[in-house]
Amino acid sequence: MAHTDRVRQILSWYGSDNPGTRANLARLLNHGALAGTGKLVILPVDQGFEHGPARSFQPNPAGYDPDYHVQLAVDAGCNAYAAPLGFIEAVADRYAGEIPLILKVNNSDTLSKGHAPCSAHTSTVDDALRLGCAAIGYTIYPGSSLRNPMYETLRALTHEAKQRGLAVIVWAYPRGEGLTKDGETAVDVTAYAAQIAAQLGAHVVKVKPPKNFIEQAEAKKVFDRYNIPTATLTDRIRHVVQSAFNGKRIVIFSGGEAKGTDEVLAEIREIAAGGAFGSIMGRNAFQRPRAEALKLLSDVMSVYRSAP
Amino acid sequence: MAHTDRVRQILSWYGSDNPGTRANLARLLNHGALAGTGKLVILPVDQGFEHGPARSFQPNPAGYDPDYHVQLAVDAGCNAYAAPLGFIEAVADRYAGEIPLILKVNNSDTLSKGHAPCSAHTSTVDDALRLGCAAIGYTIYPGSSLRNPMYETLRALTHEAKQRGLAVIVWAYPRGEGLTKDGETAVDVTAYAAQIAAQLGAHVVKVKPPKNFIEQAEAKKVFDRYNIPTATLTDRIRHVVQSAFNGKRIVIFSGGEAKGTDEVLAEIREIAAGGAFGSIMGRNAFQRPRAEALKLLSDVMSVYRSAP
Amino acid sequence: MAHTDRVRQILSWYGSDNPGTRANLARLLNHGALAGTGKLVILPVDQGFEHGPARSFQPNPAGYDPDYHVQLAVDAGCNAYAAPLGFIEAVADRYAGEIPLILKVNNSDTLSKGHAPCSAHTSTVDDALRLGCAAIGYTIYPGSSLRNPMYETLRALTHEAKQRGLAVIVWAYPRGEGLTKDGETAVDVTAYAAQIAAQLGAHVVKVKPPKNFIEQAEAKKVFDRYNIPTATLTDRIRHVVQSAFNGKRIVIFSGGEAKGTDEVLAEIREIAAGGAFGSIMGRNAFQRPRAEALKLLSDVMSVYRSAP
Amino acid sequence: MAHTDRVRQILSWYGSDNPGTRANLARLLNHGALAGTGKLVILPVDQGFEHGPARSFQPNPAGYDPDYHVQLAVDAGCNAYAAPLGFIEAVADRYAGEIPLILKVNNSDTLSKGHAPCSAHTSTVDDALRLGCAAIGYTIYPGSSLRNPMYETLRALTHEAKQRGLAVIVWAYPRGEGLTKDGETAVDVTAYAAQIAAQLGAHVVKVKPPKNFIEQAEAKKVFDRYNIPTATLTDRIRHVVQSAFNGKRIVIFSGGEAKGTDEVLAEIREIAAGGAFGSIMGRNAFQRPRAEALKLLSDVMSVYRSAP
Amino acid sequence: MAHTDRVRQILSWYGSDNPGTRANLARLLNHGALAGTGKLVILPVDQGFEHGPARSFQPNPAGYDPDYHVQLAVDAGCNAYAAPLGFIEAVADRYAGEIPLILKVNNSDTLSKGHAPCSAHTSTVDDALRLGCAAIGYTIYPGSSLRNPMYETLRALTHEAKQRGLAVIVWAYPRGEGLTKDGETAVDVTAYAAQIAAQLGAHVVKVKPPKNFIEQAEAKKVFDRYNIPTATLTDRIRHVVQSAFNGKRIVIFSGGEAKGTDEVLAEIREIAAGGAFGSIMGRNAFQRPRAEALKLLSDVMSVYRSAP
């Protein structure tokens, strides 16, 4: 489809990238019910790896089947579907070309404990190309004592992805020895994580909706001195988006833990009002019965469609 | 532009480098308001990564936007603009060719604590070439227990940069288990850090203005026995410049923490009087309103233009 | 220097290139007396290799010396200086950084006869980087039975140059078994050669001013049917420029054999009127006494400066 | 120059090395005032990195300048000049070819404390070739818990150096958790360190003059049982030289800390009498005023010239 | 030895080369009886490969022995000895370090006929390094239909040699389908061959003394129009040296076919008077009895020593 003005504007922020990468960014922006709006709703399903199958799929057992998710993403009109290697391989032969695929190239399981948080690097740019993916996804844990090796693996992957014409999506999840539990979703930390991901060369940054809490003493002084508003989620989203190159990098937000439909939609409205580029919604979608999930995703997309 | 005698003299110190590297050193020396004088004022913006976005950009919120900084550097007549990968990618398609760019290839965030200081290696010589940069920048932390791996990563980057015709700028920031807090800016330690950076093959060395304090007992004996003057900042700058191959390596100084305009200029005058090749001025520039920043940078350049 | 609107417009045609390559195109466009106008006058000196030293340099024996030419290019305010490896190596240590250098990476001598025309590939992209060059230059001979190996060597060089941030200039000289002697400069053939060079990925195309002659029978029918004007050199230049992507690739013209000053300037006026982006002027410059050469180049630049 | 019988004899011990490496050993043996004698006096200047600039150079401030040292080595008739990358790069373009250069490829600073001693690997065999060096120098710390990684880095460097025709000089400095402070210069330990360096493939071994002290209980029994003489420095030097393959590896001795001229010469006489191949004399040379340094080096060379 | 002013001047023409390459050029210039004069007499022995053993060595059967030649070069005070891999390997273990060695890395035998002339590429830069050589030597045959593959092999060898710090000597022998027999030594062709070798990046060019004959019709016009003097050998040498970058590349001349001593010396006097940098003298040296050869080489060196 012809690019809308908004898509052109967004692509103009990625002028140092080659046409291949920009075309794949455009594919993400131009697919599904939100095509052309500059907004994205992405279905990610990596919880099987991250939390185990029963926790992830038993609430809606259809989700044990990899076909279920990608078909849900297609039917809901999501912009893209993201998953680890196995789930992508299970469907790419039929769905690559029907919906943009995002290969999540690192993953972390929860069977081993007591380590500094660090995901395993589990698939490659070559895998993404052979599977017809539009982008790779990579998780960093700012705050972990292993952050530097993570950033350095991302450097190599990003370099290769950009050379081969893929887009790069970074899941920025603050976590580890440097942070309190509350600090993981503190507004200053979330904004900092978005900045780090963008500085590392991410095209799309994914963070969690920040809480009204400030972790770092030095940051607290600045928030206080300049009266940076953080009272509402919308305030905080606005700060995070601003922190990602003044809104010149696509920032999307996860839905967080599963919860009630009204709660989800209320949160999305606040997120959208803050200037978010969209949501990445996993458990809240696939753990519901299919009809409910389709309805919810449709409602979420409506919120973004009418956002400023 | 035709090289001035001073630029030719400076380039003559780098006779072991290939013409490509020397041309990029010349580009740094021949751009902006100080072109041809042998002095440099560089705008670096890596604080978003190093300190987080709010602390860095809220004092002048225009700075959340990557375009703001490079345009500031251009308009102020800086010799170059230095930043991490993301900020460079955000502007290189429009600004490479308008102002020399320096890709800061390692970075350190402050979300993780309690480790020996060590930056992550976040971008490459290949990135610098594809983005049209004149130089790479790299930070070392002499005093850290991880100094050796840092020096060794720098070795590989320097070798590749010199082969491909790029210049190498080393930020030498003493820090870590081997040093007291005061020792980080002690005059003996700063001079030692400049020497280390130069011995590692840096073309340009960046250090902090040293304080009138001597950290190492063995060094103290020498300073005392030979009456090395350290009372004034000018004295100390002179010692640091001498310590960088008797002034045959370009040494530039950071402005340190943000402060008042008069203070900044007074300090620059002392730095310039000590034989500094210039300043790298980040927060003191971009955290001010744009008009003030332009005025300050212009005043700083005037100081260097009239320095010996 | 800040890009002019015209330079920005020209650079916008090369949006698939990385910032490094565009910066080097900008360097060519922003140097010398025509800086910023979108016009170029380049001094090429490969005749020593192509025609032998006496034929090339005896008319002005200062030209035996490699320093002479690059200094002439600097003093005349040319946009760039182009030469084979030896001539570039002889001056790059002093001139890289003072004027954009173009490494001519293939060359052909005239001591061997009776073969399909084909240049030898004599230097590399790595050489261009270590010598601080802004671009590589490569000659193709459309019409030669060896055209395909030439295009294929160019493919590899272009790929590497574009990855490493260099620009690519193609000398397109129709020649060989497929063409009559007159056909080598026929208007249809020159336009075809410009099209081939542009299709091969050249950023800048260099051809000879076309004669009012049509070589190919099939082309003749079209020129006749559509009354493509070819009577004046200006007409023919316009057709060639149009044939290089409707003027969206930089096309420059050689001056051909040495001749009188008035003749040269008259020809340049016609070339400029046809929309040429500039001239590459070797023998007509360096075979004259230096003062005359400077005057002629200055006059040529004046013509281009006042061209539409 | 034609090899003397002594040089031929020495070279005959290195018959497994290729002619390139032997030619570079010959270069070391055939340069300067001791050319052809089989003795060497080498000027090393790595103290700027190892001890910091003021401690190293303030006693004779001319030494802040890299040109000073290599010119001192040339004028004194030293066999070679050894330094880290930065000091070598600062002079190689003018001095490579005038005096054999030794690139010290690892270095250790003293700003960081409390670690097992280990130098950083700071330059490469490729650097040595491009800078025209005859040899690489590498420090090992037998006694350190990190000795094995050091030996293994040396293995790789030695393999490459020997393939490319360079000589390898090993600074063997016992140090670390395994040794008492006195043990670092114990005669048994020094001899052991020389043996290790030779076994690791060093062509030239550099150790400190050993003290009359035996560190290892097991060694002590042997020294006692066989009455190995250690009373005089000459005795101890003889044991160390014997320990380096019965004198079939070149062993040279450092002068240690700066001291008075008479002391230095007295010590050199004892070292020479013990069969040392020469001295490596840094601080005792470059920390003196130039005239005194030239005199001292000349006197030292005289001692070696008249040694057996 | 310390560089003379003349050696410094010559080295200044090679400022784009790394210090390693310049050191090896200095080695060639600083060895033997002509050390420091800027003149060279080199003994080359590749006739065994090129013409067969009996033709080469029977006139003086000592020459069947590889030791004979290198010892002759040493005893005569030649600047260097050049030979193919086998002859170099036969002596390098004893002579590398005593005299600069030049590895002739391509060779052509005369057992196969009827082909376009082209040497085989028979040894490598790695061989040169392991054998302790200062330079590689390579023959090109301008005029051959296979000239382009030759130039392209030379490109790769030159690139590697320059990276590894070796010098490159090109034997430029016009030959092949493009030339008459007389044309092979025509003055225009010889000058052209010297230009080609220099443009290909040779540090030292070796050609045959040109005859008073002009091969190319286009060149003839220029020689006539500008009255380029060619009557005497001195005239012609001057033109060839000028054709090698106005004398800024080292050009040396072969002695050609064996002839009488007086004839040889008379020719050398004319060559030297024309500004030649020296001679490469094979058959005229090694086919004479040793005493005569030493005398002749000594006389040749005297001629060069007293040349301007």
Side-chain angles (χ1 to χ4, degrees):
Chain A
M1 57 179 285
H3 294 337
T4 61
D5 287 349
R6 177 58 177 163
V7 167
R8 275 190 206 290
Q9 182 187 32
I10 293 173
L11 293 177
S12 77
W13 303 330
Y14 299 90
S16 294
D17 279 297
N18 65 29
T21 291
R22 278 182 279 172
N24 274 315
L25 281 172
R27 259 179 214 124
L28 297 175
L29 291 164
N30 285 340
H31 185 83
L34 290 173
T37 62
K39 308 288 182 181
L40 301 102
V41 172
I42 294 173
L43 181 71
V45 189
D46 57 358
Q47 288 80 359
F49 199 115
E50 305 273 331
H51 301 161
R55 277 177 65 195
S56 302
F57 304 131
Q58 197 59 43
N60 174 22
Y64 282 105
D65 190 328
D67 287 13
Y68 176 77
H69 302 288
V70 68
Q71 190 64 52
L72 177 63
V74 167
D75 293 345
C78 289
N79 297 65
Y81 169 67
L85 183 67
F87 258 24
I88 294 289
E89 286 190 328
V91 304
D93 59 322
R94 280 154 297 126
Y95 286 91
E98 277 206 65
I99 183 169
L101 300 174
I102 299 163
L103 182 63
K104 192 67 184 13
V105 297
N106 69 346
N107 302 101
S108 180
D109 69 72
T110 44
L111 288 175
S112 178
K113 283 173 195 129
H115 315 298
C118 185
S119 296
H121 171 201
T122 54
S123 57
T124 64
V125 169
D126 272 352
D127 289 323
L129 288 171
R130 76 175 165 86
L131 295 167
C133 298
I136 59 167
Y138 187 89
T139 296
I140 57 172
Y141 296 137
S144 168
S145 63
L146 292 173
R147 75 218 174 282
N148 283 0
M150 280 183 254
Y151 300 166
E152 290 168 354
T153 300
L154 178 57
R155 176 196 72 228
L157 287 164
T158 296
H159 188 267
E160 191 184 356
K162 290 181 179 181
Q163 196 170 48
R164 301 229 179 275
L166 297 180
V168 177
I169 303 178
V170 172
W171 273 243
Y173 284 175
R175 183 173 300 182
E177 304 86 323
L179 297 169
T180 66
K181 190 68 195 167
D182 280 345
E184 294 181 0
T185 51
V187 61
D188 60 320
V189 170
T190 302
Y192 197 163
Q195 166 80 203
I196 288 170
Q199 292 286 18
L200 290 171
H203 299 107
V204 179
V205 177
K206 191 259 187 170
V207 289
K208 294 185 179 173
K211 300 275 172 55
N212 188 8
F213 174 73
I214 295 172
E215 166 85 352
Q216 309 163 95
E218 288 298 315
K220 182 102 181 58
K221 291 181 205 160
V222 172
F223 276 74
D224 288 350
R225 186 179 323 132
Y226 295 98
N227 289 313
I228 302 178
T230 63
T232 70
L233 180 54
T234 294
D235 289 336
R236 300 188 296 272
I237 294 292
R238 191 168 289 123
H239 179 68
V240 173
V241 171
Q242 187 181 37
S243 294
F245 294 8
N246 205 29
K248 290 183 175 169
R249 286 294 174 265
I250 298 170
V251 189
I252 56 179
F253 293 84
S254 55
E257 297 180 11
K259 49 200 157 199
T261 299
D262 290 349
E263 267 181 291
V264 169
L265 285 171
E267 190 180 276
I268 294 290
R269 265 179 227 110
E270 290 194 80
I271 291 172
F277 288 72
S279 284
I280 188 158
M281 184 166 286
R283 277 172 292 175
N284 275 311
F286 69 74
Q287 291 186 345
R288 276 174 167 72
R290 183 176 144 89
E292 275 183 43
L294 288 171
K295 175 71 167 63
L296 176 62
L297 288 166
S298 171
D299 289 348
V300 167
M301 291 173 198
S302 294
V303 172
Y304 278 112
R305 198 174 298 105
S306 57
Chain B
M1 59 178 285
H3 296 337
T4 60
D5 287 349
R6 177 58 177 164
V7 167
R8 276 190 204 290
Q9 182 187 32
I10 292 173
L11 293 177
S12 76
W13 303 329
Y14 299 90
S16 294
D17 280 297
N18 64 28
T21 292
R22 277 182 279 170
N24 274 316
L25 281 172
R27 261 180 211 123
L28 297 175
L29 291 164
N30 285 340
H31 186 84
L34 290 173
T37 63
K39 309 288 183 181
L40 302 103
V41 172
I42 294 174
L43 181 73
V45 188
D46 58 357
Q47 287 81 357
F49 199 115
E50 306 272 330
H51 301 160
R55 282 176 64 194
S56 303
F57 305 131
Q58 194 62 40
N60 175 23
Y64 283 106
D65 193 324
D67 288 13
Y68 176 78
H69 302 288
V70 69
Q71 190 64 52
L72 177 64
V74 167
D75 292 345
C78 290
N79 297 66
Y81 169 67
L85 183 67
F87 258 24
I88 294 289
E89 286 190 328
V91 303
D93 59 320
R94 280 155 296 125
Y95 287 90
E98 279 208 59
I99 183 169
L101 300 175
I102 299 164
L103 182 64
K104 192 67 188 9
V105 297
N106 70 346
N107 301 100
S108 182
D109 69 73
T110 43
L111 287 175
S112 178
K113 282 165 199 137
H115 317 297
C118 185
S119 297
H121 169 202
T122 53
S123 57
T124 64
V125 169
D126 272 351
D127 288 323
L129 288 173
R130 77 175 165 88
L131 294 168
C133 299
I136 58 166
Y138 187 89
T139 297
I140 57 172
Y141 296 136
S144 168
S145 62
L146 293 173
R147 75 217 172 284
N148 284 359
M150 281 183 255
Y151 299 167
E152 290 168 355
T153 299
L154 178 58
R155 177 196 72 229
L157 286 165
T158 296
H159 189 269
E160 191 184 356
K162 289 180 179 183
Q163 196 171 45
R164 301 246 179 262
L166 297 180
V168 177
I169 303 178
V170 171
W171 274 242
Y173 284 175
R175 183 173 301 184
E177 303 84 325
L179 297 169
T180 66
K181 189 70 196 164
D182 280 344
E184 294 181 0
T185 50
V187 61
D188 60 320
V189 170
T190 302
Y192 198 163
Q195 166 80 202
I196 288 170
Q199 292 287 15
L200 291 170
H203 299 107
V204 179
V205 178
K206 189 257 188 169
V207 289
K208 293 186 180 172
K211 301 274 172 57
N212 189 9
F213 173 73
I214 296 171
E215 167 86 352
Q216 309 164 95
E218 288 298 315
K220 182 101 182 59
K221 290 181 206 160
V222 173
F223 276 74
D224 289 349
R225 186 178 325 131
Y226 295 98
N227 289 313
I228 302 178
T230 63
T232 69
L233 179 54
T234 294
D235 289 335
R236 301 189 294 273
I237 295 290
R238 192 168 288 123
H239 178 67
V240 172
V241 171
Q242 187 181 37
S243 294
F245 294 9
N246 205 28
K248 290 183 175 168
R249 286 294 175 266
I250 297 169
V251 189
I252 57 179
F253 293 83
S254 54
E257 298 181 10
K259 50 200 154 201
T261 298
D262 290 348
E263 268 180 289
V264 170
L265 285 172
E267 190 180 277
I268 294 290
R269 264 178 228 111
E270 290 193 82
I271 291 172
F277 288 72
S279 284
I280 188 157
M281 185 165 286
R283 279 173 290 173
N284 275 310
F286 69 73
Q287 291 187 344
R288 275 172 166 73
R290 184 176 142 89
E292 277 184 41
L294 288 170
K295 175 72 168 62
L296 176 62
L297 288 166
S298 171
D299 289 346
V300 168
M301 291 173 198
S302 295
V303 172
Y304 279 112
R305 199 175 296 105
S306 56
Chain C
M1 58 178 286
H3 296 336
T4 60
D5 288 349
R6 176 58 178 163
V7 167
R8 277 191 204 289
Q9 181 186 34
I10 292 173
L11 292 176
S12 75
W13 304 329
Y14 300 90
S16 294
D17 279 297
N18 63 28
T21 292
R22 277 182 280 170
N24 274 316
L25 280 172
R27 262 181 209 121
L28 297 175
L29 291 164
N30 285 341
H31 186 84
L34 290 173
T37 63
K39 309 289 182 181
L40 303 103
V41 172
I42 294 173
L43 181 72
V45 189
D46 58 357
Q47 287 80 0
F49 200 115
E50 306 273 330
H51 301 160
R55 281 176 63 194
S56 303
F57 304 131
Q58 196 61 41
N60 175 24
Y64 282 106
D65 193 323
D67 289 11
Y68 176 78
H69 302 288
V70 69
Q71 191 65 51
L72 177 64
V74 167
D75 293 344
C78 289
N79 297 66
Y81 169 67
L85 182 66
F87 258 25
I88 293 290
E89 286 190 327
V91 303
D93 59 320
R94 281 155 297 126
Y95 287 90
E98 278 209 58
I99 183 169
L101 300 175
I102 300 165
L103 183 63
K104 191 68 187 11
V105 297
N106 70 345
N107 302 100
S108 182
D109 69 74
T110 44
L111 286 175
S112 178
K113 283 165 199 139
H115 317 299
C118 184
S119 296
H121 169 203
T122 54
S123 57
T124 64
V125 169
D126 272 351
D127 288 322
L129 288 173
R130 77 174 166 88
L131 295 167
C133 300
I136 58 166
Y138 188 89
T139 296
I140 57 172
Y141 296 138
S144 168
S145 63
L146 292 173
R147 73 213 176 286
N148 285 357
M150 281 184 257
Y151 299 167
E152 289 164 6
T153 299
L154 177 58
R155 177 195 68 223
L157 287 165
T158 296
H159 187 267
E160 192 184 356
K162 290 181 179 183
Q163 194 171 47
R164 302 248 179 261
L166 298 180
V168 177
I169 303 178
V170 172
W171 274 243
Y173 284 175
R175 184 174 299 183
E177 304 85 324
L179 298 169
T180 66
K181 191 69 195 165
D182 280 345
E184 295 181 359
T185 50
V187 61
D188 60 320
V189 169
T190 302
Y192 197 166
Q195 168 78 204
I196 288 169
Q199 293 287 15
L200 289 170
H203 299 107
V204 179
V205 177
K206 189 257 189 168
V207 289
K208 294 186 180 173
K211 301 274 172 57
N212 189 9
F213 173 73
I214 297 172
E215 167 86 351
Q216 310 163 93
E218 288 300 316
K220 182 103 180 61
K221 289 182 207 162
V222 174
F223 275 74
D224 288 349
R225 185 178 327 130
Y226 295 99
N227 288 314
I228 302 177
T230 64
T232 69
L233 179 54
T234 294
D235 289 336
R236 300 190 295 272
I237 295 291
R238 190 169 289 122
H239 178 68
V240 172
V241 171
Q242 187 180 39
S243 295
F245 295 8
N246 204 31
K248 289 183 175 165
R249 284 296 174 265
I250 297 169
V251 189
I252 57 179
F253 293 84
S254 54
E257 297 181 12
K259 50 202 156 200
T261 298
D262 291 348
E263 268 179 291
V264 169
L265 285 172
E267 191 180 277
I268 295 290
R269 266 180 226 111
E270 290 192 82
I271 290 172
F277 287 73
S279 284
I280 187 157
M281 185 165 286
R283 279 172 289 174
N284 275 310
F286 69 72
Q287 291 187 344
R288 276 174 166 71
R290 183 176 144 90
E292 276 183 42
L294 288 170
K295 176 72 168 63
L296 175 62
L297 286 165
S298 171
D299 290 346
V300 167
M301 291 173 197
S302 294
V303 172
Y304 279 112
R305 199 176 296 106
S306 57
Chain D
M1 60 177 284
H3 295 338
T4 61
D5 289 349
R6 177 57 178 164
V7 168
R8 278 192 202 289
Q9 182 187 33
I10 292 172
L11 293 176
S12 76
W13 304 330
Y14 299 89
S16 293
D17 279 297
N18 65 30
T21 292
R22 275 183 284 170
N24 273 316
L25 281 171
R27 260 180 211 122
L28 297 175
L29 291 164
N30 285 340
H31 186 84
L34 290 173
T37 63
K39 308 290 183 180
L40 302 103
V41 172
I42 293 173
L43 180 72
V45 188
D46 57 358
Q47 287 80 358
F49 199 115
E50 306 273 330
H51 301 160
R55 281 177 62 195
S56 302
F57 305 131
Q58 194 62 40
N60 175 24
Y64 283 105
D65 193 324
D67 289 13
Y68 177 78
H69 303 287
V70 69
Q71 191 64 51
L72 177 65
V74 167
D75 292 345
C78 289
N79 297 66
Y81 169 66
L85 182 66
F87 258 25
I88 294 290
E89 286 190 328
V91 303
D93 59 321
R94 281 155 297 126
Y95 287 91
E98 279 210 59
I99 183 170
L101 299 175
I102 300 164
L103 182 63
K104 191 70 186 9
V105 297
N106 69 346
N107 302 100
S108 181
D109 69 75
T110 44
L111 287 175
S112 178
K113 281 164 201 139
H115 318 297
C118 184
S119 296
H121 170 203
T122 53
S123 57
T124 66
V125 170
D126 271 351
D127 287 323
L129 288 173
R130 75 175 166 89
L131 294 168
C133 299
I136 58 166
Y138 188 90
T139 296
I140 58 172
Y141 296 136
S144 168
S145 63
L146 293 173
R147 73 215 174 284
N148 284 357
M150 281 183 256
Y151 300 167
E152 289 164 7
T153 299
L154 177 58
R155 177 196 67 222
L157 286 165
T158 296
H159 187 266
E160 191 185 357
K162 291 181 177 181
Q163 195 171 44
R164 302 246 180 260
L166 297 180
V168 176
I169 303 178
V170 172
W171 274 241
Y173 284 175
R175 183 173 301 182
E177 302 85 325
L179 297 169
T180 65
K181 190 70 196 163
D182 280 345
E184 294 181 0
T185 50
V187 62
D188 61 320
V189 169
T190 302
Y192 197 164
Q195 168 77 205
I196 287 169
Q199 292 287 14
L200 288 170
H203 299 109
V204 179
V205 178
K206 188 256 189 170
V207 288
K208 293 186 179 172
K211 301 275 171 56
N212 189 10
F213 173 73
I214 296 172
E215 166 87 351
Q216 309 162 94
E218 288 301 314
K220 181 100 182 59
K221 291 182 205 160
V222 174
F223 275 74
D224 288 350
R225 185 177 326 129
Y226 295 99
N227 288 313
I228 301 177
T230 63
T232 68
L233 178 54
T234 296
D235 289 336
R236 300 189 296 271
I237 295 290
R238 192 169 289 122
H239 178 68
V240 172
V241 170
Q242 187 180 39
S243 295
F245 296 7
N246 204 28
K248 289 184 176 167
R249 284 295 173 268
I250 297 169
V251 189
I252 57 179
F253 293 84
S254 54
E257 297 181 11
K259 50 200 156 201
T261 300
D262 291 348
E263 269 180 288
V264 171
L265 286 172
E267 191 180 277
I268 295 289
R269 267 179 226 111
E270 290 193 81
I271 291 171
F277 288 72
S279 284
I280 187 158
M281 184 165 286
R283 279 172 291 174
N284 275 310
F286 69 74
Q287 291 187 343
R288 278 173 164 72
R290 186 176 141 89
E292 276 184 41
L294 288 170
K295 175 73 168 64
L296 176 63
L297 288 165
S298 171
D299 289 347
V300 168
M301 292 174 198
S302 294
V303 172
Y304 279 112
R305 200 175 296 106
S306 57
Chain E
M1 58 178 286
H3 296 336
T4 60
D5 287 349
R6 176 59 177 162
V7 167
R8 277 191 204 288
Q9 181 186 33
I10 293 173
L11 293 176
S12 76
W13 304 328
Y14 299 90
S16 294
D17 280 297
N18 64 28
T21 292
R22 278 182 278 172
N24 273 315
L25 280 171
R27 263 180 209 122
L28 297 175
L29 290 164
N30 284 341
H31 186 84
L34 290 173
T37 63
K39 308 288 182 181
L40 301 102
V41 172
I42 294 173
L43 181 71
V45 189
D46 58 357
Q47 288 79 359
F49 199 115
E50 306 272 331
H51 300 161
R55 278 176 64 194
S56 303
F57 304 131
Q58 197 58 44
N60 174 23
Y64 283 105
D65 190 328
D67 288 12
Y68 176 78
H69 302 289
V70 68
Q71 191 64 52
L72 176 64
V74 167
D75 292 345
C78 289
N79 297 65
Y81 169 67
L85 183 66
F87 258 24
I88 294 290
E89 286 191 327
V91 303
D93 60 321
R94 280 154 298 125
Y95 288 90
E98 279 209 60
I99 183 169
L101 299 176
I102 298 163
L103 182 64
K104 192 67 186 13
V105 297
N106 69 346
N107 302 101
S108 181
D109 68 72
T110 44
L111 287 175
S112 177
K113 284 174 194 127
H115 316 298
C118 184
S119 297
H121 171 201
T122 53
S123 56
T124 65
V125 168
D126 272 351
D127 289 323
L129 288 172
R130 75 174 166 86
L131 295 167
C133 298
I136 59 165
Y138 187 88
T139 297
I140 57 172
Y141 295 137
S144 168
S145 63
L146 293 173
R147 75 218 173 284
N148 284 359
M150 281 183 256
Y151 299 167
E152 290 168 355
T153 299
L154 177 58
R155 177 196 70 228
L157 287 164
T158 296
H159 189 268
E160 191 184 356
K162 290 180 180 183
Q163 196 171 45
R164 302 246 179 261
L166 297 180
V168 177
I169 303 177
V170 172
W171 273 242
Y173 284 175
R175 184 173 301 182
E177 304 86 323
L179 298 169
T180 66
K181 190 68 197 167
D182 279 346
E184 294 181 359
T185 51
V187 61
D188 60 322
V189 169
T190 301
Y192 197 164
Q195 166 79 202
I196 289 170
Q199 293 286 17
L200 289 170
H203 299 107
V204 179
V205 177
K206 189 258 188 169
V207 289
K208 294 185 181 173
K211 301 274 172 57
N212 189 9
F213 174 73
I214 296 172
E215 167 85 351
Q216 310 164 95
E218 288 297 316
K220 181 102 180 60
K221 290 181 206 162
V222 172
F223 276 75
D224 288 350
R225 186 179 324 132
Y226 296 98
N227 289 313
I228 302 178
T230 63
T232 69
L233 180 53
T234 294
D235 288 336
R236 300 188 296 271
I237 295 291
R238 192 169 289 124
H239 178 68
V240 172
V241 171
Q242 188 182 36
S243 295
F245 295 8
N246 205 29
K248 289 182 176 168
R249 285 294 174 266
I250 297 169
V251 190
I252 57 179
F253 293 83
S254 54
E257 297 180 11
K259 49 202 157 200
T261 298
D262 291 349
E263 267 180 292
V264 170
L265 285 172
E267 190 180 277
I268 294 290
R269 266 179 226 110
E270 289 193 83
I271 290 172
F277 288 72
S279 284
I280 187 157
M281 184 166 285
R283 278 172 291 174
N284 275 310
F286 69 74
Q287 291 186 344
R288 276 173 166 72
R290 182 175 144 90
E292 274 183 44
L294 288 170
K295 175 72 168 63
L296 176 62
L297 287 165
S298 171
D299 289 347
V300 167
M301 291 173 198
S302 295
V303 171
Y304 279 111
R305 198 175 298 105
S306 57

